[in-house]
Amino acid sequence: MTKIEEIVQGVLSGNRRSIARAITIIENNTAETHKLVASIYPHTGKAHIIGITGPGGSGKSTLIEKIIREYRRKDKTVGVIAVDPTSPFTGGAFLGDRIRMQELSTDQGVFIRSMATRNYMGGIAKATKDAVKVLDAAGKDIVIVETVGAGQSEVEIIKVAKTIVVIFAPGLGDEIQAIKAGMMEIADIFVVNKADRENANKAIMDIQAMLQLNNQEKTWKKPVLKTTALTGEGVPQLIERIEEHKHFLERQLEHKRSREKAEAELIEAIKEKVATSMIEKLKKEGKFEEFLKKILKKEMDPTSAAEKLLNEKFRNKV
Amino acid sequence: MQSQRKIRILIAKPGLDSHDRGAKIVARALRDAGMEVIYTGLRQTPEQIVETALQEDVDVIGLSILSGAHRTLFPRIMELLKQKDLTDMMVFAGGIIPEEDIPEMKKLGIKEIFGPGTRTDTIVQFVFDNIPKRP
């Protein structure tokens, strides 16, 4: 077994060392990265991927810690990719998101990885998408991606996550500014964190007002929730909404699938009807027998015969 | 293909002291030298530190301790690293560690101990010079 095959085997069996190594290989973008990602890809698609974004200081990391605990109570395993910015000047990074989650670091059902953007734009790292695949293939039920949190234009997360939670906090100033910058469109769920603060209700009303101005989507009504991450208040309700959104996505997919299935069945049925009636007609006219003899004498192959027959048939009609 | 290997380093505060100024200054110096520094925050158990090093797949671990509990906590950390087969990570330490304890700590496998007054560029240079090779 090569080193990469060994790591892939380890990832699929949930080995933590292998998961960590695989993410490093993806981050470092080595010659083996593609092979690694290609080998784990068939084993992905089972995890529900949640993106958590919002301005710095809104309480993303603290809230994620509570979200993990809630999922653990439900016996779900959780992977986290927490992204922080790389300095464009030195190339270094200070990765401090996991400080708020450290109590969970020894829980074998939780895997937390910090990731620097390495100057990739859009609020995540280039490696984030494939690192999520590693955690998915390793069997995590839930994968959470925490974006950088600059607050604006962090829309890359939409390519990675299935459910996107946008967090605000009262008193950060420009709630509306943040909403303007594209967060409105990417959010599936809004959360006003630090709800114990005075102007939390105003923040909620601001968001609801913006939503009413801008509500093109009728299928999923974007909820606006209140949480207090420090105490965990509102977190069970947030999980409920995340689960609801997951089911909504599944129903949509099911709808799409049943449509595709019905389409295929209809096409099949039409083909059969048309063919049967056509063959009957050709037999009545004696054409069928005529061409059959030509085929038997090897004067013609069946495909050309069918083509000729159909051409004649339709030319006559026109 | 352009490889983008970065040095990943864990700065950890084992035990019960809450003096993190030194750890943060060292973390900042390493960050400014172009490394990716993961910081655990205060009051970490050896188990938390080793699990974090594993999940973050770091090359280097820096331990900062000022409580005097290094003779209890460091052996435990080094033992756990061995148990988890993470001995390829380089470990160094800093803080208040008496001179006479240093040989014992080095015997555990801790590569270097930096006391008060160490210049940050000394530490940065030390890390660059002692990065373990990856298989």
Side-chain angles (χ1 to χ4, degrees):
Chain A
M1 236 195 297
T2 67
K3 196 185 102 199
I4 288 290
E5 284 167 346
E6 232 170 85
I7 289 174
V8 169
Q9 280 309 312
V11 167
L12 296 181
S13 64
N15 179 284
R16 299 162 79 74
R17 185 86 196 274
S18 306
I19 297 171
R21 277 284 145 96
I23 295 175
T24 303
I25 290 169
I26 288 167
E27 278 200 288
N28 288 348
N29 195 21
T30 65
E32 294 156 319
T33 303
H34 176 72
K35 193 176 170 225
L36 174 80
V37 176
S39 328
I40 57 166
Y41 187 78
H43 306 276
T44 61
K46 289 180 283 278
H48 189 62
I49 301 151
I50 304 167
I52 309 267
T53 184
S58 55
K60 292 185 294 296
S61 305
T62 312
L63 190 64
I64 288 172
E65 199 249 4
K66 291 298 192 300
I67 292 174
I68 301 171
R69 284 183 192 277
E70 189 64 24
Y71 272 120
R72 293 299 290 143
R73 256 194 290 279
K74 293 175 187 292
D75 240 356
K76 304 273 189 201
T77 55
V78 185
V80 179
I81 306 282
V83 188
D84 266 328
T86 293
S87 159
F89 301 104
T90 65
F94 184 82
L95 310 173
D97 284 328
R98 67 177 301 140
I99 295 173
R100 321 243 177 257
M101 313 171 199
Q102 264 311 81
E103 267 184 46
L104 297 164
S105 60
T106 51
D107 180 342
Q108 297 297 301
V110 178
F111 190 101
I112 302 167
R113 178 67 173 246
S114 315
M115 188 175 275
T117 57
R118 301 197 182 176
N119 297 330
Y120 190 70
M121 304 304 280
I124 57 174
K126 188 163 177 278
T128 303
K129 195 173 183 175
D130 289 333
V132 164
K133 288 192 188 108
V134 170
L135 293 170
D136 185 349
K140 295 282 175 274
D141 299 310
I142 306 291
V143 178
I144 300 173
V145 178
E146 177 179 353
T147 72
V148 167
Q152 302 197 348
S153 72
E154 301 211 346
V155 291
E156 279 289 297
I157 187 70
I158 205 160
K159 296 179 192 160
V160 178
K162 295 179 185 166
T163 299
I164 294 173
V165 181
V166 175
I167 303 181
F168 297 101
L172 284 180
D174 277 353
E175 291 101 345
I176 298 297
Q177 278 301 347
I179 290 169
K180 268 199 242 165
M183 305 298 250
M184 204 71 190
E185 295 88 329
I186 65 163
D188 298 305
I189 297 168
F190 289 96
V191 168
V192 173
N193 192 30
K194 308 190 187 183
D196 52 338
R197 285 204 183 166
E198 218 178 302
N199 31 11
N201 285 329
K202 187 181 175 298
I204 288 180
M205 276 159 58
D206 282 344
I207 296 169
Q208 276 167 343
M210 290 296 286
L211 277 172
Q212 271 157 11
L213 286 178
N214 199 326
N215 218 350
Q216 309 118 319
E217 262 171 298
K218 308 243 167 7
T219 42
W220 171 255
K221 199 170 173 302
K222 297 176 179 184
V224 187
L225 307 176
K226 271 202 278 193
T227 59
T228 308
L230 266 184
T231 61
E233 223 176 298
V235 174
Q237 289 81 351
L238 170 58
I239 302 293
E240 262 172 47
R241 287 313 180 91
I242 292 173
E243 290 297 303
E244 255 173 52
H245 186 252
K246 182 185 165 200
H247 292 140
F248 164 77
L249 292 177
E250 282 163 359
R251 275 199 306 278
Q252 267 195 331
L253 192 68
E254 226 168 81
H255 179 73
K256 200 177 152 225
R257 277 205 199 115
S258 32
R259 202 195 134 89
E260 278 165 8
K261 189 164 167 276
E263 200 181 311
E265 280 170 9
L266 180 61
I267 290 172
E268 207 44 52
I270 291 173
K271 274 187 195 165
E272 206 188 303
K273 285 271 176 218
V274 172
T276 316
S277 72
M278 187 73 81
I279 291 163
E280 253 172 51
K281 243 182 227 166
L282 289 168
K283 277 185 179 167
K284 254 185 213 160
E285 292 166 5
K287 287 266 180 199
F288 190 88
E289 193 55 34
E290 185 190 324
F291 276 82
L292 190 62
K293 279 181 183 147
K294 284 185 185 173
I295 294 167
L296 286 170
K297 283 189 211 149
K298 307 276 175 201
E299 289 171 11
M300 212 176 218
D301 66 284
T303 311
S304 310
E307 217 162 82
K308 196 144 191 265
L309 274 169
L310 290 176
N311 272 342
E312 270 177 30
K313 202 82 206 152
F314 285 114
R315 207 176 297 132
N316 289 346
K317 282 257 165 74
V318 173
Chain B
M1 196 173 300
Q2 194 194 1
S3 176
Q4 306 169 344
R5 167 146 192 221
K6 287 261 182 195
I7 300 166
R8 286 173 67 85
I9 178 163
L10 179 70
I11 296 295
K13 286 273 317 160
L16 295 177
D17 79 88
S18 56
H19 302 281
D20 58 355
R21 184 59 57 212
K24 283 178 174 165
I25 286 176
V26 171
R28 197 185 141 165
L30 295 165
R31 179 201 69 183
D32 289 344
M35 300 178 205
E36 291 181 355
V37 185
I38 295 113
Y39 180 51
T40 59
L42 296 169
R43 291 184 284 278
Q44 298 291 300
T45 64
E47 286 76 9
Q48 285 174 324
I49 291 169
V50 172
E51 256 303 323
T52 303
L54 185 151
Q55 290 171 33
E56 298 288 354
D57 195 22
V58 293
D59 305 287
V60 179
I61 303 172
L63 303 168
S64 165
I65 191 161
L66 293 88
S67 67
H70 51 274
R71 292 183 60 200
T72 312
L73 294 170
F74 285 5
R76 178 79 185 135
I77 291 170
M78 298 314 283
E79 177 54 36
L80 284 170
L81 285 173
K82 226 175 266 163
Q83 273 177 28
K84 303 220 179 225
D85 194 26
L86 298 173
T87 45
D88 56 340
M89 293 176 182
M90 189 270 279
V91 183
F92 73 97
I96 307 294
I97 292 163
E99 201 71 44
E100 61 264 35
D101 290 348
I102 289 180
E104 186 191 328
M105 296 297 109
K106 284 198 172 169
K107 217 188 274 166
L108 292 172
I110 294 172
K111 193 106 184 173
E112 194 54 87
I113 311 255
F114 297 103
T118 309
R119 292 178 57 91
T120 52
D121 40 11
T122 310
I123 298 174
V124 168
Q125 197 53 52
F126 164 80
V127 172
F128 275 128
D129 292 342
N130 290 280
I131 299 159
K133 284 205 173 55
R134 278 273 164 119

